[in-house]
Amino acid sequence: MTRKMIGFALFILTCAALIVLSITKTTDPIYIGLLVIIGAFFAVGLTDHYKDLKK
């Protein structure tokens, strides 16, 4: 269980860092909007995986 939680935490950090770096590197508002939407779906997916890990 601990190994799964560590892997889950590393997955969260990696994806969040990629999203933040992508937002900071662009100036096009449409691209930023798309990245925000992708980040929202990412957050929803994470909660689903977290609930699965808690079982």
Side-chain angles (χ1 to χ4, degrees):
M1 183 67 170
T2 307
R3 184 174 175 213
K4 285 184 179 181
M5 289 302 287
I6 291 172
F8 183 62
L10 291 174
F11 173 74
I12 292 170
L13 291 174
T14 302
C15 293
L18 288 174
I19 290 170
V20 168
L21 285 174
S22 296
I23 289 173
T24 59
K25 295 278 183 181
T26 187
T27 56
D28 187 15
I30 294 172
Y31 188 62
I32 291 173
L34 287 173
L35 287 172
V36 168
I37 291 170
I38 291 169
F41 284 125
F42 171 69
V44 170
L46 283 180
T47 57
D48 188 44
H49 287 293
Y50 179 71
K51 289 177 185 175
D52 186 42
L53 281 174
K54 286 190 88 168
K55 289 183 181 179

